[in-house]
Amino acid sequence: MSDTAKLIYNGKELELPVIEGSEGEKAIDIGQLRAKLGLITLDPGYGNTGACKSNITFIDGDKGILRHRGIPIEQLAEKSRFVEVAWLLIFGRLPKRDELDRFSARLTANSPIHEDFRHHFDGFPVNAPPMAIQSAMISTLACFHQEFLQLDSHEAFEEVAARLLSKVRTIAAYSYRRSIGRPVIYPDPQLKYVTNFLHMMFSMPYKQYIVEPEVEQALNRILVLHADHEQNCSTSTVRTVGSSRANLFASAAAGVSALWGPLHGGANVEVLEQLESIHKGGLTAQQAIDMAKDKSKNFRLMGFGHRIYKNFDPRAKILKESAESVLNKLGVHDPLLDIAMGLEQIALKDSYFVERKLYPNVDFYSGIIMRAIGIPVNMFTVMFSIGRMPGWIAQWKEQHDDKDGRIVRPRQIYTGPTLTDYTPMDKR
Ligand code: CMC
């Protein structure tokens, strides 16, 4: 017999089906609630609301588990590469050799951008925020690839997925080059995904940037760790926009905008700025922790806390090790890493953080690694958007193919004035 929950309201009784996911998570299906009892649910921030069924990513926030298509993130971080993880997320399983080769070839073929599209970069102020450019340019891709605004075959989807995944990195590198007044560097078809990105970021027309293997591995790992995270703010945005049947470019551009905020992807910038200000201000780690606990201060410890993880964010654990090893290999001593480790050490024992289950999240250590690689702080969230693109594409497609999928349209509880007559201007 299937599980149900009973709701009694105003003398009426409603039996609600309880559905169970493949990892034993349970949810009450309230689909009949309004029709039968005239009620809706109220859940600001959707902390208790499942918006969809999904078979892409599983998170158990209490145990600190993250898996893509069933595979633990620790295994993917150690054994896989970003392009392979992208394929896994988008197409549902690990690719065979020929499938991966075909996808990689598509990425290479699509790495250049149309010359007219390139001229759009000149229209932005030099000091424009890179996330604004990222979102605008991804949206503009729809003008240059109109044949993909409606997808009618698997082949077309594979092609548009590759175009977006490939061009997003070219767009990011070009916006950085323009912001520092350097000529754009065209992608090199001989180079792999991450190396090609670093080439476009740091080479000069007269001097090739030599990518150290440690740097390539570190960045590859950062992208892998950001590739998907189920129904977070930006992914929910992508799915919401996609639910109106908007095309993939428009939906992904909306995802970039959602990611920009400091409580989401923008936190990686805030973490670095906060560590820098602690360093420059000569604050001790304990003083910074005390400020974060003081509610009158409006100061949060950035890179700490997570809506879902009430245990270590598994990505933060991997990145902490990566940060130490990358800095060692590159011979960089960064005082900000020492401060970060000091903050973590104190917070993990402090009752305020322990009681609220606030642990370091993915953004806490990623910035220190990117800084060591030479990526400027204002590009950190852009890096997140490159990493998250496979997840957005996979989630958009899942939503697109869902036969039961409906346009996302939440309800509300109205709390404004009741019926009020219009007052003419001279009577107000
Ligand atoms: N520093 C100090 N106190 C905190 C922090 C923090 N970083 N995070 C949460 N709290 C406190 C908060 O003040 C509240 O305390 P109280 O119960 O006394 O009012 C309690 O912990 C619960 O916080 P919340 O804001 O209700 O939790 P949430 O689930 O709505 O927010 C969060 C999650 C990630 C937005 C929040 O922890 C935060 O603002 N963290 C700092 C920003 C950050 O690192 N964001 C990156 C998230 S991971 C990557 C991503 O998703 O992009």
Side-chain angles (χ1 to χ4, degrees):
M1 204 182 78
S2 59
D3 215 357
T4 56
K6 201 176 280 179
L7 189 71
I8 302 166
Y9 176 72
N10 252 354
K12 280 194 206 158
E13 206 174 285
L14 179 62
E15 199 119 356
L16 299 161
V18 172
I19 61 154
E20 187 169 340
S22 55
E23 289 283 354
E25 291 169 304
K26 291 189 175 176
I28 299 171
D29 177 347
I30 55 149
Q32 289 301 307
L33 186 60
R34 190 167 169 276
K36 296 277 167 62
L37 297 185
L39 292 173
I40 60 164
T41 54
L42 182 64
D43 184 20
Y46 303 139
N48 300 285
T49 298
C52 60
K53 292 182 195 161
S54 178
N55 50 33
I56 300 171
T57 289
F58 170 68
I59 301 176
D60 183 331
D62 294 323
K63 296 194 183 131
I65 291 174
L66 168 60
R67 297 184 201 137
H68 295 317
R69 306 283 189 186
I71 305 177
I73 192 65
E74 292 80 4
Q75 292 183 24
L76 293 171
E78 191 194 330
K79 300 178 183 165
S80 189
R81 317 269 317 153
F82 179 61
V83 172
E84 186 180 59
V85 172
W87 206 97
L88 168 74
L89 286 165
I90 296 170
F91 300 109
R93 58 171 170 80
L94 286 171
K96 301 206 167 70
R97 176 83 272 155
D98 61 321
E99 291 168 327
L100 187 58
D101 288 348
R102 193 168 85 133
F103 193 57
S104 296
R106 276 191 202 264
L107 291 175
T108 304
N110 281 303
S111 55
I113 53 176
H114 193 288
E115 280 300 293
D116 292 345
F117 181 81
R118 186 169 72 74
H119 293 309
H120 279 256
F121 284 94
D122 301 334
F124 294 106
V126 172
N127 64 353
M131 282 298 273
I133 300 180
Q134 190 81 340
S135 173
M137 293 306 262
I138 290 173
S139 193
T140 307
L141 283 173
C143 308
F144 288 82
H145 305 281
Q146 296 186 31
E147 65 277 32
F148 297 112
L149 300 189
Q150 297 286 338
L151 298 180
D152 46 19
S153 67
H154 179 81
E155 172 68 17
F157 171 66
E158 194 173 335
E159 179 63 20
V160 72
R163 282 196 192 195
L164 186 50
L165 199 57
S166 188
K167 290 185 195 304
V168 70
R169 123 198 98 148
T170 311
I171 292 170
Y174 280 19
S175 72
Y176 169 62
R177 300 293 295 198
R178 186 171 146 68
S179 74
I180 55 167
R182 293 208 174 143
V184 300
I185 300 292
Y186 286 91
D188 179 344
Q190 305 302 323
L191 301 177
K192 299 255 186 223
Y193 193 91
V194 171
T195 317
N196 211 352
F197 171 72
L198 290 165
H199 158 70
M200 287 189 274
M201 285 284 285
F202 300 126
S203 284
M204 290 299 275
Y206 50 85
K207 192 164 182 259
Q208 179 85 8
Y209 171 77
I210 307 295
V211 182
E212 299 292 341
E214 291 81 17
V215 168
E216 193 275 340
Q217 276 164 21
L219 190 54
N220 185 69
R221 181 168 280 189
I222 287 180
L223 296 182
V224 166
L225 292 177
H226 284 83
D228 190 48
H229 213 233
E230 50 116 307
Q231 307 311 317
N232 56 84
C233 178
S234 56
T235 302
S236 300
T237 302
V238 169
R239 287 186 80 124
T240 299
V241 176
S243 78
S244 74
R245 296 284 169 257
N247 63 77
L248 183 55
F249 300 119
S251 306
V256 173
S257 299
L259 188 72
W260 193 357
L263 296 188
H264 190 13
N268 58 13
V269 172
E270 305 269 329
V271 170
L272 230 280
E273 287 176 354
Q274 194 167 79
L275 291 173
E276 266 170 352
S277 82
I278 292 172
H279 182 52
K280 283 192 193 129
L283 279 184
T284 62
Q286 186 61 57
Q287 284 168 320
I289 294 282
D290 290 342
M291 268 170 72
K293 286 157 54 176
D294 184 346
K295 299 284 183 198
S296 68
K297 287 276 192 300
N298 197 20
F299 175 93
R300 282 194 168 193
L301 195 57
M302 300 312 282
F304 259 77
H306 200 278
R307 169 65 60 81
I308 303 290
Y309 292 119
K310 301 302 170 197
N311 196 325
F312 251 98
D313 178 338
R315 303 165 301 171
K317 257 192 204 168
I318 300 169
L319 283 177
K320 181 183 177 185
E321 283 171 26
S322 249
E324 287 178 276
S325 95
V326 170
L327 266 62
N328 273 340
K329 279 182 191 151
L330 297 179
V332 175
H333 175 253
D334 190 342
L336 300 195
L337 181 60
D338 301 337
I339 295 174
M341 297 225 245
L343 289 172
E344 181 188 316
Q345 220 173 22
I346 299 172
L348 292 181
K349 292 193 199 118
D350 188 290
S351 60
Y352 174 97
F353 287 84
V354 173
E355 278 159 21
R356 289 169 180 75
K357 299 185 176 164
L358 302 171
Y359 291 85
N361 59 47
V362 69
D363 295 318
F364 197 60
Y365 286 106
S366 63
I368 292 172
I369 302 176
M370 289 195 271
R371 184 167 128 114
I373 292 173
I375 294 169
V377 177
N378 70 349
M379 288 293 289
F380 285 5
T381 317
V382 172
M383 299 308 299
F384 195 152
S385 76
I386 299 175
R388 186 53 54 87
M389 194 53 77
W392 290 338
I393 295 171
Q395 301 267 357
W396 180 91
K397 183 72 163 68
E398 189 177 67
Q399 150 87 43
H400 184 266
D401 290 351
D402 183 357
K403 298 279 172 291
D404 302 325
R406 301 171 76 192
I407 187 167
V408 174
R409 203 309 185 180
R411 288 184 177 268
Q412 63 166 16
I413 296 294
Y414 175 70
T415 57
T418 51
L419 182 62
T420 309
D421 284 330
Y422 178 83
T423 318
M425 188 67 83
D426 59 342
K427 299 266 165 52
R428 285 178 211 165

